[in-house]
Amino acid sequence: MQLIESKLPTHIGIIMDGNGRWATKRGLPRNLGHKEGMKAVERTIDALIKFKIKVVTFFAFSTENWKRSKEEIDGIFSLVREYLKTNRDYFNNKGVQVRSMGDLSKFPKDLSSELENVKEETKDNDKLILNLALNYGGRADIVYSVNKLIKSGKKEINEKDILDNLYSEGLAEPDLIIRSSGEQRISNFMIYQGAYSEFYFTKTLWPDFDEKCLKKALVDFQKRDRRYGGIK
Ligand code: FPP
């Protein structure tokens, strides 16, 4: 099946679910599932560039993920840190601009400063925006936006004001949200920005996700009739 360039999503959100189950099924510790999940992230970014997608947001760590064991949380942080460290040349050679959304103040200092450095270093790249949702929750995002508006002295706010002040400020709303592993829920991911997103659920566990899975999601997306509440 061919992809039609004019009908591709601009922004794809990805809820990478199933790392733990992938590992448990093999009798491995959960962190090995996340390690394999990181390889799937790398494969997917290659494929996104190949398919000329402009923006991707990965749900890498949610505001609820702090409930996990310290070992697992530290493991995820190490993976993200390592990834950012080793991919500098890749980002610059491929034109990847790294951004993030979420409250970084609770992250280990070395991780947040690594991230800030990469963001600064890649800010002029324009092939693919790689947005990392870290310590992110959709409800916290709305609160963040409204608080910014209150501080600016606004007396009355509208929908666009809230949208423009979310962590995703300046990014297109996600056209497509993909969730792996068979779960069919939004889990507090971009709930404001995703009001009109198309959803694609696949049973594939995240560590097994690859270019073929992404292409399937894109082909499916192209068949959707997006009416935004109107009539065609
Ligand atoms: C959910 O699987 C996945 C996560 C909590 C995210 C894991 C984070 C990474 C792989 C790092 C991503 C880094 C970048 C830079 C994008 P799960 O543990 O909830 O799986 P389960 O439902 O089977 O337990």
Side-chain angles (χ1 to χ4, degrees):
M1 186 89 181
Q2 276 308 104
L3 293 176
I4 311 154
E5 214 171 305
S6 61
K7 285 183 82 178
L8 286 172
T10 300
H11 182 175
I12 304 179
I14 304 185
I15 304 175
M16 310 174 276
D17 199 8
N19 293 344
R21 274 164 285 166
W22 185 94
T24 307
K25 260 170 67 178
R26 289 163 176 78
L28 299 168
R30 291 179 58 82
N31 273 336
L32 272 183
H34 295 314
K35 195 167 171 210
E36 282 303 308
M38 197 69 244
K39 292 183 193 162
V41 168
E42 293 181 321
R43 281 198 297 274
T44 303
I45 293 173
D46 282 338
L48 289 160
I49 294 172
K50 178 171 166 188
F51 295 142
K52 301 199 175 75
I53 302 299
K54 288 311 221 186
V55 188
V56 64
T57 298
F58 284 100
F59 203 7
F61 195 86
S62 80
T63 45
E64 287 72 36
N65 286 153
W66 294 105
K67 294 177 198 153
R68 298 188 177 204
S69 72
K70 184 169 176 339
E71 190 192 355
E72 183 168 349
I73 293 172
D74 287 347
I76 294 175
F77 290 169
S78 292
L79 281 172
V80 178
R81 198 186 292 112
E82 233 7 74
Y83 172 72
L84 294 172
K85 261 203 190 125
T86 51
N87 280 277
R88 293 264 174 110
D89 288 346
Y90 176 94
F91 298 145
N92 289 319
N93 293 337
K94 298 275 185 174
V96 176
Q97 180 191 130
V98 178
R99 288 185 49 150
S100 69
M101 59 177 198
D103 178 7
L104 297 181
S105 67
K106 292 190 183 62
F107 279 111
K109 194 80 203 81
D110 60 338
L111 175 54
S112 51
S113 55
E114 183 71 37
L115 186 60
E116 292 307 338
N117 289 341
V118 177
K119 276 163 47 174
E120 178 56 31
E121 209 181 286
T122 61
K123 69 178 189 316
D124 296 325
N125 294 341
D126 61 1
K127 285 273 178 301
L128 172 75
I129 294 177
L130 168 59
N131 187 32
L132 304 177
L134 289 163
N135 194 19
Y136 177 82
R139 290 182 177 177
D141 198 359
I142 297 167
V143 172
Y144 167 80
S145 169
V146 172
N147 275 327
K148 253 182 23 191
L149 289 161
I150 293 171
K151 279 191 199 120
S152 76
K154 274 211 175 251
K155 293 273 175 300
E156 205 175 299
I157 56 176
N158 60 33
E159 292 185 7
K160 190 168 180 304
D161 292 327
I162 296 183
L163 187 67
D164 290 347
N165 285 281
L166 295 167
Y167 282 116
S168 54
E169 179 186 336
L171 292 183
E173 293 164 46
D175 305 289
L176 171 65
I177 294 178
I178 298 173
R179 183 171 189 143
S180 58
S181 93
E183 307 291 351
Q184 301 192 2
R185 54 178 175 264
I186 185 83
S187 301
N188 203 14
F189 178 66
M190 296 188 105
I191 51 177
Y192 198 90
Q193 302 91 325
Y196 284 101
S197 300
E198 296 293 327
F199 287 89
Y200 180 84
F201 300 107
T202 169
K203 288 210 166 72
T204 303
L205 300 176
W206 179 251
D208 294 324
F209 196 89
D210 61 9
E211 181 180 320
K212 253 169 96 178
C213 300
L214 177 66
K215 188 164 180 196
K216 247 175 113 178
L218 293 174
V219 167
D220 195 86
F221 173 82
Q222 296 193 323
K223 292 190 205 133
R224 310 275 179 97
D225 177 19
R226 302 184 77 195
R227 291 189 299 277
Y228 301 92
I231 299 165
K232 230 189 173 178

